[in-house]
Amino acid sequence: MPVTGRLFVGGEWSSPRPDFASHSPARWSEHVGTFPQSSAAEVSGAVAAARAAFRAWRRTSRVLRAECFDRLAQLIKRDTDALAELMARECGKNVTECRAEVIEGLHMVQYVFGTGRLPFGEVIASEIAEKDAFVRRKPWGVVGVITPWNFPFAVPLWMLGPSLLEGNTCVFKPSEDTPAVGQRLVELFAEAGFPAGTLNLVHGDGTAGEAIVRDARVNVVCFTGSYEVGRRIQELSAALPDRIVAAEMGGKNAVIVCDDARFDLAVTAGVLSAFKTTGQRCVSAS
């Protein structure tokens, strides 16, 4: 059945609104689902919900925040095959690659859960005997997470996982090409018991993404995508002195074959590196 797209703000799902469709690349006539195009006002509401939830979430024990990720890991294990099938339908990768991506996302969630019980901060040697010096890490605020279509499950978890574990709250906009996978991920977060407002979902194209970036209440922007969009995020954020931007915009990657290499293996590795996922990876050989 087609996915019914909704926004998720402050722990509540919005009414469905079929503003745009997500198609299967393998069969363009197949609608994976229909989704709402978030307005600037709806994005602002999502940021406000994240800001409101921040006070309580930052004061929640880091261990208890990590427990949410343990529950999330169990749900991903339960739904691995279904998630892989949905991803294959929506982004076009073969189901084996999609299943590998789901497992990669699961590993990130397990890593985040594990770090929740590790020490954090540092004790620093003091040159004054009567004084102790230490670093205490604190959350920064609201994190805007804007992710691409080619890894619609793992990449969001790279950003959402550490951000939420450390006590930040998030506004998440998945690619308009893979909104169904993004929405399903948020549904799992909600089922895992993350408190209302800690993770908020908006849908839409670059106008929704720009509304997130333009909002001065967003303290961090995490982005993976094109150079043009990443540059735009950096330009808009330059006027905000408290804004942190992490923009991963791909790479120019070489394959170096040494004289003593197995040439047959090098050729196979080079072809796979350049053409797997039709080259739509930031780590693909150029």
Side-chain angles (χ1 to χ4, degrees), residues 255 265-277 279 285:
V255 175
L265 294 181
V267 169
T268 299
V271 170
L272 286 175
S273 180
F275 295 105
K276 195 172 184 179
T277 325

Side-chain angles (χ1 to χ4, degrees), residues 8-109:
F8 188 64
V9 176
E12 299 290 336
W13 291 100
S14 70
S15 299
R17 193 174 70 238
D19 293 335
F20 69 96
S22 175
H23 299 268
S24 169
R27 188 167 47 251
W28 196 249
S29 61
E30 178 186 343
H31 283 191
V32 179
T34 54
F35 298 86
Q37 168 69 44
S38 299
S39 66
E42 287 170 328
V43 171
S44 179
V47 175
R51 175 61 59 190
F54 176 59
R55 179 181 295 273
W57 184 241
R58 70 176 299 183
R59 286 174 169 77
T60 300
S61 162
R62 193 165 183 265
V63 172
L64 293 180
R65 293 198 296 258
E67 291 293 334
C68 294
F69 285 96
D70 184 36
R71 296 192 294 271
L72 178 61
Q74 307 315 312
L75 298 176
I76 294 173
K77 289 180 183 179
R78 181 195 70 187
D79 292 353
T80 294
D81 290 339
L83 288 164
E85 290 170 9
L86 175 61
M87 192 190 308
R89 286 178 57 217
E90 188 171 49
C91 85
K93 293 193 292 192
N94 68 60
V95 72
T96 302
E97 286 191 51
C98 291
R99 195 177 195 282
E101 182 182 339
V102 174
I103 298 302
E104 182 180 353
L106 170 63
H107 290 166
M108 184 65 194
V109 171

Side-chain angles (χ1 to χ4, degrees), residues 128-183:
I128 302 174
E130 293 78 16
K131 292 186 177 181
D132 295 325
F134 62 91
V135 175
R136 182 181 180 188
R137 303 183 187 279
K138 295 186 178 182
W140 197 243
V142 175
V143 180
V145 173
I146 303 171
T147 57
W149 63 268
N150 59 339
F151 287 86
F153 190 80
V155 169
L157 285 169
W158 298 348
M159 301 174 182
L160 295 171
S163 298
L164 288 165
L165 174 71
E166 299 302 340
N168 303 285
T169 53
C170 296
V171 176
F172 171 39
K173 190 199 85 68
S175 168
E176 63 272 26
D177 292 320
T178 51
V181 176
Q183 179 167 305

Side-chain angles (χ1 to χ4, degrees), residues 212-247:
I212 294 173
V213 177
R214 285 186 175 276
D215 197 316
R217 297 170 295 174
V218 175
N219 306 102
V220 180
V221 176
C222 293
F223 168 77
T224 296
S226 71
Y227 174 81
E228 292 76 15
V229 174
R231 180 68 179 218
R232 176 68 173 165
I233 291 171
Q234 293 169 342
E235 290 171 349
L236 292 173
S237 300
L240 301 172
D242 293 332
R243 167 76 59 82
I244 297 172
V245 174

